[in-house]
Amino acid sequence: MKEYRLHTLICAGTGCVACGALDVKEELEKEIVKQGLEDEVKVVTTGCQGFCERGPIVIVQPGDIFYQRVSKEDIPHLVEEHLLKGRPVKSLMYVPGPEKPPIPTMMDIGFFKHQRLLVLKNRGRLDPENIEEYIGFDGYRGLEKALAEMTPEEIIKEIKDSGLRGRGGAGFPTGLKWELCRKSPDEIKYIVCNGDEGDPGAFMDRSILEADPHAVIEGMIIGGKAIGAHKGFIYVRNEYPLAVKRLKIALSQAEEYGLLGKDILGTGFDFPIEVIQGAGAFVCGEETALLKSVEGKVGRPRPRPPYPTEKGLWGKPTNINNVETWANVPAIILRSAEWFSSIGTEKSKGTKIFSLVGKINNTGLVEVPMGITLREIVFDIGGGIADDEEFKGVQLGGPSGGILTEEHLDTSVDYESLTEAGAIMGSGGMVVLSENDCMVDTARYFLNFIQEESCGKCTPCRVGSKRMLEILDRIVEGRAEEDDLKKLKILAEKVKKYSLCGLGQTAPNPVLTTLRYFEDEYKAHIEEKRCPAKVCKNLFKYVITDRCTGCTFCVRNCPTDAIEGEVGNKHKIIQEDCTKCGTCLEVCPVDAVEAVDNE
Amino acid sequence: MEKVEKILCDYVYDESKIIQILEEAQNEYNYLPKEVLEYISQNLNTPLSKIYSIATFYNAFSLNPQGEHFITVCMGTACHVRGAPMVLERIEERLGIKAGMTTEDQMFTLKTVNCLGACALAPIVVIDGEYYGKATPQKIGKILDKYQQKETTNTKQKEQVK
């Protein structure tokens, strides 16, 4: 293989690509040729680096020099200074705050320093479309060990001993699930990878599939061997075209290398994998619904038992695990259960990936050891709350999860502690909320989501969620009555208790946790017709204060012509015409627009 | 119906691949015309009602023709808390349609999506595959101006050619 003096790694995850990473790459390649460096510098496109807030990201190796928010225009200077003359460019480095010096290397940046990468270890260091790079970093060695040196029972024991639990949210012990499926008496068995990551604000699985598809494939083949399965399916969400593309490339390369398909590594074990692209239905993340969808049917769930490990795809025993769970498997087999279980807490082993989003400075994807505190994630890794606002809460687990508050910041991140506090580990969505977020509006948001995605099969979910949403609509619109809160609580309990599948059973959670910790806010909406965070449109108004210099900027930008005023005179908002779109607030150069309670 | 026939052939008339078949048919026609569904039903020997139930259950399918420009507004949690509802409202106002609809002149189709997983750019609007991150009602107004101007010029040019 050709040796290069320098490698430039460009993040080509969805976030960076959306910010123009591919243009940056093109320019970089052009400029390298222009400077005659094409034999010395290699350009590699990698999977998601995780630090999406700072995209597009370019890393120069050796030296681990981290460049952020790189634009096409920065490239000529970067190539000449760093790649040609060897002088790193300070102006493109990460600066942790005002008056602070730039941080040159990746691992010195707070966002990366506190993470522990097991599943995402290959993110940003290899080209996901090149199997040789994966193999170069110990790839498929776990599979080799499993096939050549271990019996299926030994593989299952290793996974059981490691303490690995399902990363899709519920935390069921993976090894135990494998064992149940292995013991199901049937000639034909299947395994499935659940990549129907539907929780809004969560993109862990997308990132793994885009950055390191071979890890998932390797994990599945090992699982296939252990369970005695005949075929694997990877079900990927419709909205992730890049992940599907990379998976397909990875599968064909693995097959070419004899690592997939017939007679894997000459051991006589046959195991093909097929990618199935979903068609946009949130409920298909629920395992029984997902199986229906793989079979080409309408994805509606069915009651369990029987569990898929007994009756799954086409009535055959089927083992379903989430993307992150599968990606954990190769390293456990290669490095041992003992190594894996040394990370984490007593009952929650290993790491967990979270997508850290919302009102946070460092939006991105983070992998942390179990047992870390929420405070460390939000403040040390996440860099605290954006725009100097106050922390209010963190929403975990999407529409099935709950909101935790200031008092829970020191809670250990593990399955048990989070459940005890009223949230769930969930698949890994972590939405940070600030003082300017309304908890009633947030709860309404999730319930509206569930209501739209309810498949309609069972009445508690279909009708119950609709009635709950109507109550929340009344509350946010200022039409609620005193006993609405009581009705909401009763309905929430019923929907939780009587719904058929996980979607309905967990649907009231965002409402219940916000009620538990922020009942005052609900009461302010109902009794005082007031939205303390100034989010619910009917319950506040915008006014122009004396700071107004009369620049007419807002007058000209208001889409509904709801502001009157002339140059030099203080402007006024005509409340009847105002739609509260917030444009005036956005464009005012002197912050003269304020949201206040209705009289 | 040659195109549908080819898709059916690619999937060896396998009924269990109906979702993929419909996905490809939609890519081909930009929506699922009734005749196409009927043709698939006859050739897969599957009741039309069953195909209809799949085509209406999954969000990815559309039974109506879609506009020339496709606007997707992300309504994920991160986008929601950073103001996506206002952005959507502005687009709806400008185009005179609600999410899920197509403008009368067939120029724009407006859709919402639950999460694109690019939360650092929240709120996000995607127009014809182009990402517009950190959108605000004001910014999106300007972006729409650009598309609508382009359309007006195109129409004028077409008229001149005629």
Side-chain angles (χ1 to χ4, degrees):
Chain A
M1 230 157 96
K2 197 169 161 184
E3 293 272 328
Y4 289 91
R5 179 169 62 86
L6 293 170
H7 282 72
T8 52
L9 309 170
I10 299 183
C11 175
T14 297
C16 281
V17 170
C19 302
L22 297 180
D23 291 342
V24 170
K25 183 195 169 211
E26 201 181 304
E27 188 69 18
L28 187 61
E29 283 170 338
K30 230 162 58 191
E31 203 59 30
I32 286 173
V33 173
K34 202 165 142 195
Q35 297 281 5
L37 294 170
E38 64 268 37
D39 290 328
E40 292 177 53
V41 183
K42 190 177 182 195
V43 178
V44 183
T45 40
T46 70
C48 179
Q49 290 276 6
F51 204 177
C52 309
E53 184 72 43
R54 296 284 166 162
I57 290 167
V58 177
I59 294 168
V60 182
Q61 300 279 24
D64 220 14
I65 305 298
F66 184 86
Y67 293 122
Q68 44 100 53
R69 292 190 180 157
V70 180
S71 72
K72 216 168 86 177
E73 290 72 33
D74 297 324
I75 294 300
H77 182 64
L78 177 73
V79 171
E80 188 182 335
E81 280 299 303
H82 189 159
L83 306 186
L84 188 69
K85 297 181 182 164
R87 294 192 293 233
V89 180
K90 284 202 173 116
S91 61
L92 292 174
M93 289 173 186
Y94 173 75
V95 182
E99 320 264 315
K100 298 235 172 85
I103 302 176
T105 55
M106 187 169 161
M107 289 322 288
D108 290 324
I109 297 171
F111 180 81
F112 294 105
K113 197 160 66 180
H114 302 280
Q115 294 192 48
R116 173 87 194 251
L117 305 185
L118 301 187
V119 175
L120 296 174
K121 62 179 185 297
N122 286 333
R123 79 169 177 196
R125 74 173 181 187
L126 58 75
D127 177 358
E129 296 184 11
N130 184 351
I131 191 172
E132 284 188 9
E133 296 200 9
Y134 179 71
I135 293 172
F137 285 107
D138 287 342
Y140 288 106
R141 277 188 58 209
L143 174 68
E144 205 182 320
K145 185 175 168 189
L147 292 189
E149 299 167 26
M150 298 168 84
T151 64
E153 288 76 15
E154 281 168 346
I155 300 173
I156 289 175
K157 183 171 184 300
E158 199 71 10
I159 298 295
K160 275 173 99 176
D161 290 348
S162 74
L164 177 65
R165 295 167 68 176
R167 298 294 194 242
F172 191 81
T174 306
L176 183 61
K177 196 189 250 183
W178 288 19
E179 191 174 57
L180 288 169
C181 194
R182 174 162 186 86
K183 284 182 177 164
S184 279
D186 207 307
E187 287 287 294
I188 295 172
K189 287 173 192 173
Y190 298 103
I191 61 173
V192 174
C193 170
N194 184 349
D196 192 49
E197 180 176 54
D199 283 3
F203 49 102
M204 298 72 56
D205 296 345
R206 195 208 72 209
S207 184
I208 298 170
L209 292 170
E210 284 177 7
D212 205 9
H214 286 288
V216 178
I217 295 169
E218 185 181 355
M220 286 179 74
I221 309 171
I222 294 171
K225 174 74 185 170
I227 290 157
H230 291 76
K231 189 176 178 184
F233 293 91
I234 307 179
Y235 189 93
V236 186
R237 214 178 149 220
N238 181 263
E239 287 81 356
Y240 292 171
L242 185 62
V244 171
K245 179 187 152 209
R246 295 213 170 130
L247 264 176
K248 286 187 173 163
I249 294 173
L251 287 172
S252 73
Q253 288 179 347
E255 211 166 327
E256 211 175 288
Y257 278 67
L259 298 161
L260 185 71
K262 290 241 172 279
D263 190 21
I264 296 172
L265 292 169
T267 57
F269 174 56
D270 298 339
F271 190 75
I273 295 179
E274 189 183 328
V275 181
I276 307 256
Q277 189 164 4
F282 176 72
V283 71
C284 288
E286 197 279 341
E287 58 180 16
T288 59
L290 185 145
L291 295 178
K292 285 266 183 283
S293 187
V294 173
E295 291 174 7
K297 293 177 183 146
V298 166
R300 288 205 182 90
R302 61 159 176 80
R304 299 175 304 180
Y307 286 90
T309 47
E310 299 156 61
K311 274 192 188 322
L313 278 177
W314 297 285
K316 302 292 176 191
T318 302
N319 183 88
I320 305 186
N321 283 123
N322 151 279
V323 171
E324 193 181 335
T325 317
W326 287 118
N328 263 301
V329 170
I332 295 174
I333 296 299
L334 184 65
R335 299 187 64 171
S336 87
E338 204 186 345
W339 160 79
F340 185 81
S341 61
S342 69
I343 304 159
T345 66
E346 195 197 333
K347 287 183 177 163
S348 303
K349 301 295 185 189
T351 58
K352 178 75 194 91
I353 304 175
F354 289 100
S355 61
L356 191 56
V357 304
K359 301 285 178 68
I360 186 102
N361 276 318
N362 301 337
T363 295
L365 199 78
V366 305
E367 183 173 359
V368 290
M370 296 275 192
I372 193 171
T373 63
L374 285 171
R375 188 186 299 282
E376 285 170 278
I377 299 180
V378 173
F379 291 93
D380 296 344
I381 297 175
I385 312 305
D387 300 329
D388 287 325
E389 289 172 15
E390 284 289 313
F391 173 84
K392 186 167 186 178
V394 45
Q395 208 280 347
L396 287 157
S400 323
I403 294 182
L404 298 182
T405 65
E406 180 97 45
E407 64 175 294
H408 303 103
L409 274 175
D410 293 307
T411 303
S412 152
V413 173
D414 59 68
Y415 292 98
E416 282 71 26
S417 308
L418 291 177
T419 310
E420 203 176 298
I424 55 166
M425 177 76 82
S427 60
M430 195 179 265
V431 186
V432 178
L433 302 167
S434 79
E435 56 185 327
N436 291 333
D437 291 306
C438 169
M439 290 300 162
V440 187
D441 175 70
T442 308
R444 190 204 160 274
Y445 166 81
F446 283 115
L447 203 70
N448 181 50
F449 176 89
I450 288 294
Q451 205 272 315
E452 277 178 12
E453 294 293 342
S454 171
C455 79
K457 188 168 177 173
C458 71
T459 318
C461 175
R462 184 184 68 242
V463 183
S465 67
K466 179 85 181 162
R467 294 288 97 84
M468 282 177 73
L469 183 64
E470 284 166 0
I471 296 177
L472 284 170
D473 278 341
R474 289 205 289 275
I475 299 178
V476 298
E477 286 165 17
R479 297 182 287 115
E481 286 156 20
E482 296 272 309
D483 64 339
D484 270 340
L485 212 50
K486 207 172 112 198
K487 281 187 199 156
L488 185 65
K489 284 179 190 165
I490 295 170
L491 264 171
E493 292 302 337
K494 300 273 188 246
V495 173
K496 200 177 164 92
K497 201 166 166 190
Y498 299 114
S499 289
L500 172 70
C501 81
L503 184 135
Q505 287 158 10
T506 58
N509 285 355
V511 174
L512 289 170
T513 51
T514 44
L515 270 172
R516 181 162 153 193
Y517 298 119
F518 300 95
E519 194 167 340
D520 285 354
E521 231 170 281
Y522 279 84
K523 286 191 170 148
H525 283 72
I526 298 169
E527 291 161 16
E528 301 162 38
K529 310 290 177 214
R530 188 170 70 81
C531 173
K534 311 283 185 293
V535 171
C536 301
K537 276 178 159 191
N538 285 11
L539 305 182
F540 76 95
K541 63 179 180 185
Y542 284 117
V543 291
I544 295 173
T545 64
D546 290 339
R547 275 200 294 276
C548 175
T549 57
C551 72
T552 72
F553 222 68
C554 58
V555 179
R556 281 176 284 146
N557 279 289
C558 176
T560 54
D561 295 328
I563 307 177
E564 53 186 23
E566 278 152 23
V567 184
N569 293 328
K570 187 181 151 190
H571 305 328
K572 187 171 180 281
I573 296 174
I574 309 159
Q575 295 300 334
E576 304 80 72
D577 297 337
C578 176
T579 58
K580 306 200 180 122
C581 69
T583 298
C584 49
L585 193 77
E586 185 192 331
V587 299
C588 180
V590 292
D591 292 334
V593 182
E594 259 177 32
V596 297
D597 291 330
N598 289 330
E599 279 96 34
Chain B
M1 289 296 144
E2 269 167 43
K3 291 176 196 163
V4 200
E5 186 55 42
K6 188 177 175 300
I7 296 168
L8 288 171
C9 256
D10 288 348
Y11 285 97
V12 286
Y13 298 89
D14 182 353
E15 200 199 320
S16 76
K17 294 283 177 264
I18 182 69
I19 296 174
Q20 286 82 338
I21 292 169
L22 292 180
E23 269 170 9
E24 294 212 7
Q26 168 142 322
N27 288 344
E28 196 63 58
Y29 295 90
N30 123 355
Y31 76 111
L32 295 172
K34 194 176 163 208
E35 308 78 63
V36 169
L37 295 183
E38 282 168 352
Y39 187 87
I40 294 173
S41 154
Q42 280 154 16
N43 287 277
L44 282 187
N45 213 359
T46 307
L48 186 60
S49 60
K50 202 180 153 197
I51 293 180
Y52 184 77
S53 80
I54 289 169
T56 51
F57 181 82
Y58 293 101
N59 296 334
F61 301 125
S62 171
L63 298 180
N64 297 311
Q66 301 182 65
E68 207 155 298
H69 299 291
F70 205 88
I71 306 178
T72 312
V73 183
C74 180
M75 297 303 276
T77 326
C79 288
H80 178 85
V81 300
R82 289 194 191 176
M86 299 298 168
V87 175
L88 175 65
E89 205 169 289
R90 169 60 55 80
I91 300 175
E92 287 179 338
E93 241 170 56
R94 277 284 298 261
L95 299 179
I97 50 170
K98 289 278 169 201
M101 291 161 69
T102 300
T103 52
E104 233 168 67
D105 59 3
Q106 298 289 317
M107 277 308 155
F108 297 95
T109 292
L110 178 62
K111 266 204 158 178
T112 57
V113 59
N114 285 329
C115 185
L116 292 164
C119 309
L121 299 171
I124 306 171
V125 177
V126 184
I127 308 183
D128 300 339
E130 182 103 16
Y131 283 68
Y132 295 95
K134 309 215 165 171
T136 63
Q138 202 223 358
K139 274 201 223 163
I140 205 67
K142 288 192 176 153
I143 294 164
L144 285 179
D145 284 346
K146 209 176 73 186
Y147 278 88
Q148 284 181 322
Q149 265 164 20
K150 209 161 75 186
E151 279 313 325
T152 337
T153 349
N154 283 352
T155 332
K156 271 186 195 155
Q157 276 170 354
K158 273 182 208 161
E159 274 166 11
Q160 275 170 1
V161 173
K162 273 177 198 166

